[in-house]
Amino acid sequence: MRRRAVVAAGLALVSLGSGCRRAAPPPEPWHEDVGYRWRELHVPSSRRGPGFTELPASRTGISFVDSVTLDSALWNRHLAQGGGVALGDVDGDGLPDIYLTSNEGSNALYRNLGDWRFEDITAKAGVAMTGRHSTGAVFADVDGDGDLDLLVSTLGGGVALFLNDGHGVFTERTTEAGLASHAASMTMTLTDVDGDGHLDLYVANYKTRSALDIYPPQERAFNQVVRQVGQRFEVVPKFQKDYRVVDRPEYNLVSMQQRADPDAFYLNDGKGHFTFVPWTKGRFLDETGSRSPRRRNTSACRPSSRMWTVTVRRTSMCATTSRIRTCSG
C-alpha cells in the first residue's frame, strides 16, 4: 500500500505540473512509403536556443570515449582523424542501436533500451575490434537475410565485414566475403550500382601513414624526392610509392603531392560476397563519357590512387573524386 501511495503521489505531481502548461498538440500521422515511414516534425519556436538537450553518460549509459595518445598521434597523424558512428536496429526490436569506432582502442555497440537509455553489448555482439584502428562504420543488409550487417573501415586493414544473426550477435566474414585488404580505408557507401537488387560497396581509401611521419624533413625535401630529367621532372624511385610530381605551368612551378591508396569498388552477389572491380575494366566513364583507358599510370584510370579521399557518398555519380566518373552499367 505504501508503494502504491508513493506512485500515486508522483502521478499527482505530474498532473499538477502539466496543468500549468498548454496541452501538446497531437503528433502528426505517419506516412507509409516503400521500405520506411515518415512524419513531419514540428519544432516550437523558442528564444532559449536550439531544441536539443545534451544528455550525460550517467543518463544514457553511453560512456564511450575515442582517445588517442599523443605518442600515437605523433607516430601516425592519421589516427587523429577521428572515428565514425553508425545507427541501426541490430536486434529487430524496432529501436536504433549505436555503434561507435575507435582509432586506437576498442569499438562499442550500444543497444537501445528506449527512453534514451542504452546498454553496452559489445562483448556479446563480438564487434570490439580492439587495436584495429577503426575509422568508420555502416549498417547494411549485405546478404539479403533481412537484418543489418556491419561494415567497419580501418587504417591498414581495409573494410571488415560482420554478419548479423538477426539478434545482434555478429560473426566476422571479411576474408570469406572477398574484402581482405591492407588499405587505409576511411569511409564507405553502399547502393545498387548494376540494378540487380543488391547493395554494392564503394570504399574511400586514404593512407595508413603519411610520408610526413615516415621520413624526416631533410629526407623528404623537394630536392631529395624530385629530380629533373631533361625538360621534365620525376620522382626518384625511392619515393614513387609516396609522391607524384604535379606540373603547374600557369604558376611556373612544379610541386610534389603525396599519393594515397586507390579507392575500391566491389559488386555484391546478394549473399554477402563481394567482387573487386578494377578501375580499368571499362565499367566507369570519365568526365567526357569515355571509358577509362587501360594505361597504368594515368589519372583517368585511377584518380583516387593519386589523391587523398576521406569521405564518399552515393549520388547519381559513383563517387566524388577529382574527376566526375559515371557508371556505365
Side-chain angles (χ1 to χ4, degrees):
M1 292 297 293
R2 183 177 181 182
R3 183 175 182 180
R4 291 181 180 176
V6 172
V7 173
L11 292 174
L13 289 173
V14 171
S15 299
L16 288 173
S18 62
C20 299
R21 303 185 183 93
R22 296 174 59 185
E28 292 289 329
W30 285 101
H31 301 275
E32 298 294 333
D33 222 316
V34 179
Y36 67 95
R37 63 176 184 165
W38 64 274
R39 70 181 181 187
E40 293 186 16
L41 175 65
H42 293 287
V43 180
S45 60
S46 173
R47 296 181 180 179
R48 294 177 295 178
F52 293 91
T53 301
E54 183 177 357
L55 299 178
S58 58
R59 169 69 171 82
T60 64
I62 299 177
S63 57
F64 176 86
V65 177
D66 181 18
S67 60
V68 177
T69 65
L70 179 59
D71 287 344
S72 295
L74 291 174
W75 181 78
N76 186 354
R77 65 190 63 201
H78 294 166
L79 294 175
Q81 293 284 347
V85 58
L87 289 87
D89 180 10
V90 302
D91 53 2
D93 63 357
L95 299 174
D97 309 301
I98 302 177
Y99 186 74
L100 298 157
T101 70
S102 173
N103 292 109
E104 190 172 31
S106 299
N107 301 343
L109 176 60
Y110 287 91
R111 178 173 177 261
N112 193 338
L113 303 177
D115 192 30
W116 301 105
R117 296 187 182 277
F118 297 83
E119 173 192 10
D120 188 339
I121 62 168
T122 309
K124 176 184 176 182
V127 290
M129 295 186 66
T130 304
R132 292 174 65 175
H133 306 305
S134 301
T135 55
V138 62
F139 285 118
D141 182 14
V142 301
D143 56 0
D145 63 356
D147 52 51
L148 292 179
D149 307 304
L150 175 65
L151 296 104
V152 183
S153 53
T154 70
L155 275 179
V159 172
L161 171 63
F162 294 83
L163 296 183
N164 189 352
D165 69 353
H167 303 284
V169 178
F170 294 82
T171 303
E172 183 166 4
R173 289 288 184 265
T174 304
T175 301
E176 297 88 337
L179 294 176
S181 168
H182 295 292
S185 301
M186 299 299 292
T187 59
M188 305 149 286
T189 187
L190 297 99
T191 195
D192 181 10
V193 170
D194 53 0
D196 63 357
H198 311 315
L199 291 176
D200 307 307
L201 174 67
Y202 187 97
V203 184
N205 292 324
Y206 201 33
K207 195 171 187 178
T208 302
R209 288 184 72 200
S210 169
L212 303 180
D213 296 327
I214 298 174
Y215 306 105
Q218 64 274 16
E219 189 175 347
R220 52 179 163 81
F222 183 87
N223 61 355
Q224 299 296 313
V225 176
V226 178
R227 66 187 178 189
Q228 185 172 3
V229 180
Q231 297 300 312
R232 64 184 181 86
F233 293 86
E234 66 179 19
V235 176
V236 300
K238 174 182 177 180
F239 293 103
Q240 286 181 357
K241 72 179 188 303
D242 295 301
Y243 287 99
R244 70 178 185 130
V245 170
V246 179
D247 188 6
R248 302 298 300 270
E250 67 273 26
Y251 299 117
N252 194 29
L253 63 81
V254 174
S255 66
M256 64 182 191
Q257 294 181 359
Q258 282 199 62
R259 293 180 180 272
D261 294 337
D263 290 355
F265 174 63
Y266 299 87
L267 288 176
N268 184 1
D269 68 355
K271 299 179 181 179
H273 183 271
F274 293 85
T275 300
F276 174 72
V277 180
W279 294 109
T280 56
K281 291 298 184 181
R283 176 173 291 274
F284 294 93
L285 309 178
D286 65 16
E287 68 276 17
T288 67
S290 302
R291 290 182 180 272
S292 296
R294 299 177 182 275
R295 295 191 305 274
R296 180 178 180 185
N297 293 318
T298 172
S299 59
C301 277
R302 299 170 61 184
S304 51
S305 68
R306 295 171 175 260
M307 297 291 184
W308 300 110
T309 308
V310 180
T311 187
V312 64
R313 67 177 182 177
R314 294 285 187 183
T315 60
S316 59
M317 296 180 291
C318 285
T320 301
T321 63
S322 59
R323 292 176 178 266
I324 297 174
R325 307 179 68 81
T326 58
C327 292
S328 61

